[in-house]
């Protein structure tokens, strides 16, 4: 994958628009899921995906081929999420996501042929509790928990994305898990 990404980046740097479209196709879903988990709002996450790819396109000449492209693009997306969270003020909008399914998000709505209706209900309730607990984490822990457990990045990759030492990442993962454990121990 890294060789293909490097080849695509070089082609984009030479002006190949199709190569950029391939990069977008490779990363758009991953960036959306990262953004959605960090921001908790589908519309903001969609905007952030577009903003991430605009930044990638504008700054591609600054990309260091010595580092992984995935690390670089995750760093851009994560920084944009953090900036948006810092600027966020409590707002109430008619365009805000509606909880038509009593607090259940799209992940919990995925049907499984193996589960009974009762099993699906329990699973969706559990997922909703976990997602709410993650959303209640302070930003510095939420970011790391999303990157570690939802995006499945290694500690070193998270360190590269956030430009924070691995030891700090380990500490925040530990504290984030403790926070989640305390938050969920009486609910699950």
């Amino acid at each position: 994958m890294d060789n293909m990404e490097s080849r695509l980046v070089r082609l984009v740097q030479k002006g190949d628009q199709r190569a950029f479209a391939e990069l977008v196709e490779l990363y758009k879903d991953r960036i959306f899921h990262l953004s959605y988990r960090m921001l908790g709002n589908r519309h903001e996450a969609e905007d952030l995906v577009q903003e991430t790819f605009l930044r990638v396109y504008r700054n591609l000449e600054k990309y260091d081929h010595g580092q992984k492209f995935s690390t670089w693009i995750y760093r851009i997306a994560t920084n944009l999420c953090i900036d948006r969270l810092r600027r966020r003020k409590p707002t109430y909008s008619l365009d805000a996501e509606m909880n038509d399914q009593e607090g259940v998000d799209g992940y919990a709505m995925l049907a499984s042929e193996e589960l009974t209706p009762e099993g699906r209900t329990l699973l969706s309730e559990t997922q909703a509790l976990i997602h709410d607990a993650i959303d209640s984490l302070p930003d510095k822990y939420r970011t790391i928990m999303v990157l570690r457990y939802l995006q499945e990045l290694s500690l070193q990759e998270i360190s590269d994305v956030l430009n924070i030492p691995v030891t700090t990442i380990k500490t925040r993962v530990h504290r984030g898990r403790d926070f989640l454990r305390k938050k969920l121990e009486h609910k699950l």
Side-chain angles (χ1 to χ4, degrees), residues 40-79:
N41 181 291
R42 183 171 306 280
H43 299 295
E44 279 188 294
E46 289 168 352
D47 289 347
L48 198 119
V49 170
Q50 291 179 3
E51 194 172 341
T52 298
F53 284 109
L54 280 172
R55 290 262 176 107
V56 166
Y57 191 77
R58 288 182 188 148
N59 296 299
L60 209 51
E61 73 278 353
K62 297 177 186 174
Y63 169 66
D64 174 13
H65 289 276
Q67 78 178 106
K68 290 174 68 174
F69 181 77
S70 60
T71 301
W72 188 65
I73 195 168
Y74 275 129
R75 177 180 292 151
I76 291 170
T78 302
N79 286 340

Side-chain angles (χ1 to χ4, degrees), residues 3-72:
N3 286 337
M4 182 178 73
E5 290 170 356
S6 293
R7 183 180 55 77
L8 288 173
V9 168
R10 282 186 172 78
L11 288 171
V12 174
Q13 287 174 328
K14 292 178 182 177
D16 188 336
Q17 297 298 315
R18 287 181 292 175
F20 185 71
E22 286 185 51
L23 278 176
V24 169
E25 198 59 37
L26 276 173
Y27 282 97
K28 69 179 182 180
D29 292 335
R30 295 185 225 176
I31 299 300
F32 173 79
H33 291 296
L34 167 70
S35 304
Y36 182 72
R37 289 309 323 147
M38 289 182 68
L39 300 172
N41 181 291
R42 183 171 306 280
H43 299 295
E44 279 188 294
E46 289 168 352
D47 289 347
L48 198 119
V49 170
Q50 291 179 3
E51 194 172 341
T52 298
F53 284 109
L54 280 172
R55 290 262 176 107
V56 166
Y57 191 77
R58 288 182 188 148
N59 296 299
L60 209 51
E61 73 278 353
K62 297 177 186 174
Y63 169 66
D64 174 13
H65 289 276
Q67 78 178 106
K68 290 174 68 174
F69 181 77
S70 60
T71 301
W72 188 65

